[in-house]
C-alpha cells in the first residue's frame, strides 16, 4: 500500500525506550509540532508530536462547522459546549483532538499516505516524523514540481482522495499547505477538520473546497483539471452524501438550524 515504502512496518522502536524532545518543528496558530527522538536499546527513531494550544487561545473561524457534529461525548459535555463553559471548552478540545487522531488512524489503516500514528496524548498526539536527521519534509506549497511530476502527483492524490471517500471521510482542510513532500511522494497531514461524509452536513461542500484548493496548486503547474469530473472520478457521487442540507455554506455566515441553539 502507498505509505509502506516510506514507513516500513518496523519503523518504530519497540521494547524499552525513552523520548527526548529535540525542538519545535513548527509553531502555528493552533498547534505546535515538536521533534521527538524515541531512543530504544539498539536504535533511535524520530517522531513528530503535535500539541494543541489551549482551546480559548485558538481561533476556529469555522468552528460552527464542526462543533457538535462529531460523535462521542456525553450529553453533559454537549450541553456545556453549547453554553461555552470552561468544562465545555475542555470537552470541545478533547473531541477536537480525538477527531484528528481517529481520522489519522482510520486513514493510515486504509492505506492513505500519512505519517503513521503512534500514540494519543492529553493535549495532542505522536506520529512518525516525515523527514530525516537533517531536515523536515517541506510542505508541497514550498516545492515547485516540474509539470510531468505535478501530473503524476495529482493523479496519485486523486487515488488517495478516492480511498478517503471510500471510507467516508473528507479531509476538510486540504491544500498544498497540508501536504508534505518527501522522497518524491506526497504525504497528507493535519486532519483537524476531517469529517464523515454520511454525518456531516457540509461534507460535500468541504470536499469541493478541498479539491478546488488542491487543484489550484496543480493547475499553476500545467495540470488540467475539471473539478466536476474529479468528484465523479473519486467516487464522490452526490448520493453518498445522504444527509446533506441545502442551506450550508462553508465559510459563510449561515449555520444550519440544528447548530444555532
Ligand atoms: N509528521 C510530521 N513530520 C514532519 N513535519 C510535520 C509533521 N506534522 C506536521 N509537521 C509540520 O508542522 C506543520 C504544522 O502541522 P499541521 O498542519 O498539522 O498543524 P496546524 O495546526 O495546521 O499548523 P498551522 O497553523 O501552522 O497550519 C506542518 O506544516 C509541517 O511543516
Ligand atoms: Mg496545517
Amino acid at each position: 500500500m502507498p505509505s509502506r515504502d516510506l514507513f516500513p512496518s518496523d519503523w518504530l522502536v519497540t521494547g524499552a525506550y525513552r523520548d527526548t524532545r529535540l525542538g519545535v518543528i513548527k509553531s502555528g496558530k493552533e498547534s505546535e509540532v515538536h521533534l521527538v527522538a524515541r531512543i530504544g536499546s539498539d536504535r533511535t527513531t524520530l517522531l513528530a508530536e503535535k500539541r494543541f494550544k489551549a482551546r480559548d487561545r485558538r481561533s476556529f473561524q469555522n468552528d460552527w462547522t464542526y462543533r457538535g457534529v462529531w460523535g462521542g461525548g456525553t450529553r453533559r459535555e454537549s450541553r456545556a459546549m453549547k453554553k461555552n463553559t470552561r468544562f465545555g471548552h475542555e470537552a470541545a478540545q478533547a473531541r477536537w483532538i480525538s477527531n484528528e487522531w481517529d481520522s489519522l488512524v482510520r486513514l493510515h489503516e486504509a492505506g492513505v499516505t500519512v505519517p503513521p500514528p503512534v500514540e494519543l496524548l492529553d493535549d495532542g498526539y505522536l506520529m512518525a516524523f516525515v523527514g530525516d536527521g537533517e531536515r523536515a519534509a517541506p510542505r508541497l506549497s514550498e516545492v515547485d514540481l516540474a509539470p510531468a511530476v505535478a501530473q503524476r502527483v495529482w493523479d496519485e492524490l486523486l487515488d488517495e482522495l478516492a480511498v478517503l471517500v471510500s471510507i467516508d471521510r473528507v479531509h476538510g482542510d486540504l491544500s498544498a499547505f497540508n501536504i508534505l513532500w518527501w522522497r518524491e511522494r506526497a504525504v497528507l497531514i493535519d486532519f483537524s477538520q476531517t469529517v464523515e461524509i454520511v454525518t456531516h452536513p457540509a461534507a460535500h461542500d468541504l470536499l469541493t473546497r478541498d479539491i478546488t484548493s488542491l487543484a489550484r496548486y496543480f493547475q499553476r503547474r500545467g495540470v488540467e483539471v475539471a473539478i466536476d469530473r474529479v468528484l465523479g472520478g473519486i467516487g464522490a457521487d452526490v448520493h453518498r452524501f445522504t444527509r446533506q442540507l441545502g442551506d450550508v455554506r462553508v465559510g459563510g455566515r449561515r449555520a444550519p438550524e440544528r447548530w444555532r441553539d
Side-chain angles (χ1 to χ4, degrees):
M1 282 312 257
S3 59
R4 293 262 162 83
D5 44 331
L6 283 181
F7 305 100
S9 56
D10 65 347
W11 72 275
L12 186 62
V13 164
T14 50
Y17 65 83
R18 68 188 166 82
D19 285 351
T20 306
R21 285 227 182 91
L22 300 180
V24 175
I25 303 168
K26 180 122 196 322
S27 180
K29 289 189 304 292
E30 290 154 9
S31 71
E32 260 177 14
V33 180
H34 294 253
L35 178 62
V36 175
R38 177 159 288 193
I39 304 163
S41 53
D42 56 351
R43 66 195 173 106
T44 297
T45 41
L46 292 176
L47 310 180
E49 180 180 337
K50 183 167 180 181
R51 304 176 65 189
F52 293 84
K53 298 190 173 171
R55 175 66 183 82
D56 44 27
R57 278 193 278 130
R58 293 159 63 191
S59 54
F60 297 128
Q61 281 171 352
N62 276 337
D63 203 16
W64 62 261
T65 313
Y66 303 96
R67 191 170 354 159
V69 189
W70 294 325
T74 61
R75 289 177 65 135
R76 180 174 165 242
E77 283 173 355
S78 300
R79 262 199 317 272
M81 279 162 65
K82 276 185 188 158
K83 286 191 194 148
N84 267 333
T85 63
R86 188 189 168 83
F87 175 69
H89 284 187
E90 281 162 15
Q93 166 91 347
R95 260 193 225 187
W96 189 272
I97 296 172
S98 71
N99 177 69
E100 175 155 351
W101 167 256
D102 291 345
S103 304
L104 175 63
V105 170
R106 280 294 287 124
L107 267 58
H108 181 250
E109 282 169 359
V112 179
T113 311
V114 297
V118 174
E119 192 180 327
L120 178 64
L121 309 166
D122 281 345
D123 59 353
Y125 61 90
L126 282 162
M127 65 190 134
F129 170 68
V130 187
D132 58 21
E134 280 174 19
R135 64 185 190 125
R139 297 189 276 192
L140 194 57
S141 57
E142 299 162 289
V143 179
D144 200 9
L145 301 184
V149 181
Q151 183 67 57
R152 191 257 299 168
V153 177
W154 171 250
D155 293 341
E156 287 171 359
L157 282 168
L158 292 186
D159 290 343
E160 303 271 19
L161 286 181
V163 178
L164 261 105
V165 170
S166 77
I167 58 164
D168 278 327
R169 293 294 194 291
V170 171
H171 184 286
D173 192 19
L174 196 60
S175 74
F177 291 95
N178 280 331
I179 294 178
L180 301 180
W181 179 245
W182 190 241
R183 299 197 171 131
E184 302 294 305
R185 300 277 299 277
V187 183
L188 270 53
I189 59 162
D190 196 355
F191 307 99
S192 51
Q193 301 184 39
T194 297
V195 298
E196 284 186 22
I197 284 181
V198 181
T199 53
H200 198 287
H204 193 269
D205 289 359
L206 288 165
L207 181 59
T208 309
R209 186 180 71 174
D210 277 0
I211 292 168
T212 311
S213 333
L214 198 55
R216 216 169 287 135
Y217 173 92
F218 287 94
Q219 283 164 326
R220 277 203 297 270
R221 283 155 187 87
V223 179
E224 276 183 38
V225 180
I227 303 286
D228 293 353
R229 263 186 274 142
V230 168
L231 283 167
I234 60 171
D237 187 280
V238 80
H239 302 295
R240 291 183 72 95
F241 299 78
T242 43
R243 290 193 219 159
Q244 295 297 289
L245 303 179
D247 64 346
V248 179
R249 265 178 287 137
V250 176
R253 292 188 196 290
R254 186 125 188 265
E257 293 283 322
R258 68 185 168 105
W259 298 335
R260 278 192 212 129
D261 57 356

